[in-house]
Each structure stands twice: as C-alpha cells, then as structure tokens.
Amino acid sequence: VFSLSATIFLHLATFFVTAMVCHGELATFRPRTSHLTEFYLWMSFGGVLGGAFNALLAPVLFSTVAEYPLAIVFACALRPMLKEGRNGRWQLDIVLPLLFAVAVWFVAQVPTNKLTAVFDERWKVLPVAAIIAMFVFSFTVRPVRLALGIGVLLWGASNIMNEHSTVYTHRTFFGVHQIKKNDDANIYLLTHGSTNHGSQSIESDKWREPLAYYTREGPVGQVFDALHVANSEMSVGIIGLGTGATSCYRRPKDKWKFFEIDSAVVGIARNEEYFHYLAECAGSSPVVLGDARLSLVNEPDDGFDLLVIDAFSSDAIPVNLITVEAFNLYFRKLAENGSVLIHISNRHLNLEPVLGNLTRSREWSGRVQAHRPDG
C-alpha cells in the first residue's frame, strides 16, 4: 500500500514523536538543582542499558529484529495518560485489544493471494486501513490500551504481509536469515531481511536445476555456457554462498572454491532438509569462512579463471566489495583472460554507472544485463 518513501517517513515521524514525548516527560519530572547530577547519571546509565540490550542481548533473545516493534509498544505504554482517560475502566485495556487481536488473527488465516485478489487496487485498501487507524486511535486516551493495540497491529501486519510460510529463522550479527516455503511454486526460498536470495524446488528431480537469479537462461547461465565452450576445465571462485545454486554449473574437472563470511549461511546451504545444491553439485568444493577480501589475499595470484561476486546484505550488496581496491585485488587473482561476474541488483542504488566508470578508467571491457527471474 505504501511506497518506500512513505514508509520511511512514517518510521521517522514515529521516532520523532516518541523521542519528543519521552524527552518531554524527562524535562517535566526533572529534580531540583541539587539532584541534577544524580538525575543525569541515571539517565545516562539508562542509555547504556538500552544500547547493551540492543547490541548484546537482543540478537541472542530474538530470532528476528523484534526489539524494534517492542520499543514502539513500550514507548506507547509509557506515554503520559490524557486527562479524559483517567477514569476509564482498566478491564477495557485488556478486552478491546484482545478482541482486536482475534479479528486480526482471523484475517491472517486468509491466504495472501486471496487477500490480494480482494484488495487488488489501492482505493479498496484505504477505507479498511482508515477504519483500523480510527479504531486504534480511540485507544490513545489509555497508554496500556494503546500499547497493546499497537502491538496487535504490528503483529498482524507482519503476518498478513508475509506471502509465504516461514519454516526456519536464524539471526546472526549480519542479519536475519529465513527459509520460506512457497506452496504455489513448490519451492523453498532463502531470504535475508526482506529480499529473496535464492530458491530451490522441493521436488527431488529438480534439485540440480538453479532457480531465481541463477537460471540457465539468465546472465549466470549465459556466462558459464560461454566459458565452458572456451575452457575444458576452470578454476572458479564464488564470493557469497547463498543457497549454493551456482555450484550446479560446476563440471567434474572444474576446481571451485566458495568464500562466505556468515557461518549461518553455510549451515543453511548444507541443510538438506531444505536445500540440496551443495550436496548434489558442489562435490568436494571447499567453503572458506571469513571476509572474502581478506581470504582472497591468501589465494595465489593468477589462480582463477572466473570470480563471481554474489555477496548480499538484505537488499544491497556490501559496498566494500565494489571499490577500486577490491577490483584491483580481483584482477590480481585472475588468470590471463580471466573474468569477473558481479551481481549488482538492489533496491536503492544504481550501481551500473559506478562499475561502468570503473571499467573505463582501467580500460577493461564489461557488459551489463538486466534480468528479472520468474521464481
């Protein structure tokens, strides 16, 4: 319903209002001058505890970034109570959000494709959104009621907007990895943040068939087809493991090596309950765990016929992998007439001119291809 810019505005507006209310409460209840030192000490200590919770405890306690919606809920619960809400019944603080939760739960049981069919145009969604907004806004006179209502709203939105059922979730320093099952296409998908980074068919006879970005008809398949004709055997380095789909372009005589920074991704790619690319296609190809740029330094020069740069960080690739220094390293590790294949698709940045300027400045030759996979 909302564009990216509208969503960002709503989040920033929420943060601004919440911060202003909290700072206003601090200013209202500040002590006399003689106790200000203690006041500021405890306020700073609270900031330390909040930072420690987000950085150290939250990644251990939650498999998703749950601390963000929880912070919004607690901020609503701690807001000052409006004068007209002081005589409200506390029982309604529980009953009304509970009824709201039951209604949201029933809506969440409806398959996403059916909801999409009903609300296929924005004008159909807006009246429903307006009714929900007014209902939740009526909770504002009671902080606890508002907090529970907002919590239900956030929970419902995350469930209703999820197109596929989540079967596995793992959070690391690098973000949240989820495996989702698409029953319509009969595939498993690996997502990081909000972006799909690989998929594989559930059917065993299709386990050796790369999907999504890596289809044989797409740029990856075209590059390997051309290089297989020109080289009877190849040395290939892959930066970014993902589901391991690229390994299905490996031939028995080829020497492949994967570079992956996140051990969780390695575990997911080797989990044969969901993905089988490595088991079916990679053979004994090693996976080097660690920062790819540092790991490549230890590789012999002129050793790779092809380097594939396919690392990801949710909806963008890590910028440190597309710097001038990084490409100088890549070409130092390439054999004569070697090639670099880089995946530059992301939601926010147009990286084609960046790489175009880089290739021109070094008098390299390059080609870009836009490809939208079906699955």
Side-chain angles (χ1 to χ4, degrees):
V1 177
F2 296 109
S3 65
L4 177 64
S5 57
T7 302
I8 292 175
F9 172 78
L10 285 173
H11 283 281
L12 291 177
T14 301
F15 173 77
F16 175 78
V17 172
T18 302
M20 290 299 292
V21 170
C22 291
H23 280 79
E25 287 297 284
L26 282 174
T28 300
F29 292 99
R30 68 186 184 279
R32 295 190 302 273
T33 306
S34 59
H35 296 284
L36 279 181
T37 300
E38 181 182 358
F39 171 73
Y40 286 122
L41 176 63
W42 283 110
M43 189 171 67
S44 301
F45 182 65
V48 171
L49 290 180
F53 177 83
N54 286 329
L56 303 176
L57 284 181
V60 177
L61 296 175
F62 308 125
S63 59
T64 61
V65 190
E67 64 270 24
Y68 178 65
L70 283 176
I72 296 176
V73 170
F74 282 117
C76 291
L78 294 173
R79 65 182 293 276
M81 184 181 293
L82 299 178
K83 185 178 296 184
E84 57 267 31
R86 297 185 188 279
N87 298 321
R89 296 181 179 180
W90 68 266
Q91 292 90 342
L92 291 179
D93 294 344
I94 307 299
V95 173
L96 290 178
L98 184 60
L99 292 175
F100 184 37
V102 172
V104 169
W105 182 85
F106 274 109
V107 174
Q109 304 313 302
V110 180
T112 304
N113 56 351
K114 292 186 178 181
L115 283 176
T116 304
V118 174
F119 299 106
D120 56 344
E121 297 181 21
R122 183 172 298 183
W123 68 268
K124 297 179 181 179
V125 181
L126 291 178
V128 178
I131 293 172
I132 295 173
M134 287 188 292
F135 181 71
V136 176
F137 184 76
S138 69
F139 294 174
T140 54
V141 295
R142 303 277 295 181
V144 173
R145 190 182 305 177
L146 175 64
L148 294 177
I150 291 294
V152 171
L153 189 62
L154 292 172
W155 168 76
S158 64
N159 282 274
I160 293 171
M161 294 173 64
N162 194 352
E163 297 182 10
H164 313 299
S165 57
T166 301
V167 296
Y168 175 89
T169 301
H170 187 76
R171 178 176 177 176
T172 69
F173 170 81
F174 301 99
V176 178
H177 306 284
Q178 292 184 321
I179 299 175
K180 299 182 179 181
K181 185 179 180 181
N182 184 335
D183 292 315
D184 295 333
N186 207 25
I187 59 175
Y188 285 119
L189 305 98
L190 170 63
T191 64
H192 181 259
S194 59
T195 306
N196 173 24
H197 287 288
S199 57
Q200 185 175 43
S201 175
I202 296 174
E203 302 169 25
S204 58
D205 60 332
K206 298 179 181 179
W207 283 349
R208 298 178 67 89
E209 190 63 32
L211 302 178
Y213 308 105
Y214 313 102
T215 57
R216 299 189 186 279
E217 298 78 19
V220 176
Q222 294 170 32
V223 168
F224 276 103
D225 283 345
L227 291 177
H228 286 168
V229 171
N231 303 275
S232 58
E233 57 183 273
M234 295 169 53
S235 178
V236 180
I238 311 287
I239 297 178
L241 177 61
T243 59
T246 50
S247 63
C248 288
Y249 292 101
R250 172 185 168 274
R251 298 171 299 181
K253 290 185 179 180
D254 291 342
K255 296 179 180 179
W256 281 51
K257 182 175 286 190
F258 294 91
F259 300 88
E260 175 57 51
I261 196 171
D262 193 346
S263 60
V265 174
V266 179
I268 289 171
R270 287 177 171 165
N271 187 340
E272 294 183 42
E273 184 177 353
Y274 306 110
F275 299 109
H276 302 82
Y277 288 127
L278 290 185
E280 293 286 324
C281 305
S284 58
S285 302
V287 178
V288 179
L289 193 61
D291 187 299
R293 284 186 60 175
L294 299 179
S295 300
L296 272 179
V297 171
N298 299 322
E299 296 294 321
D301 292 349
D302 309 314
F304 292 105
D305 297 297
L306 175 67
L307 274 175
V308 181
I309 318 301
D310 189 32
F312 61 78
S313 176
S314 186
D315 49 10
I317 64 175
V319 178
N320 67 306
L321 294 179
I322 56 173
T323 62
V324 172
E325 294 78 10
F327 270 85
N328 288 337
L329 173 64
Y330 302 152
F331 277 85
R332 196 166 71 244
K333 301 303 175 179
L334 286 177
E336 187 177 0
N337 298 322
S339 304
V340 173
L341 174 63
I342 179 167
H343 183 180
I344 62 172
S345 66
N346 66 94
R347 293 179 179 175
H348 308 305
L349 299 175
N350 180 14
L351 296 176
E352 181 181 336
V354 176
L355 293 183
N357 292 335
L358 179 61
T359 54
R360 280 192 294 270
S361 67
R362 293 294 191 276
E363 296 184 350
W364 298 330
S365 59
R367 179 175 296 179
V368 63
Q369 182 180 146
H371 174 67
R372 292 185 177 275
D374 295 328

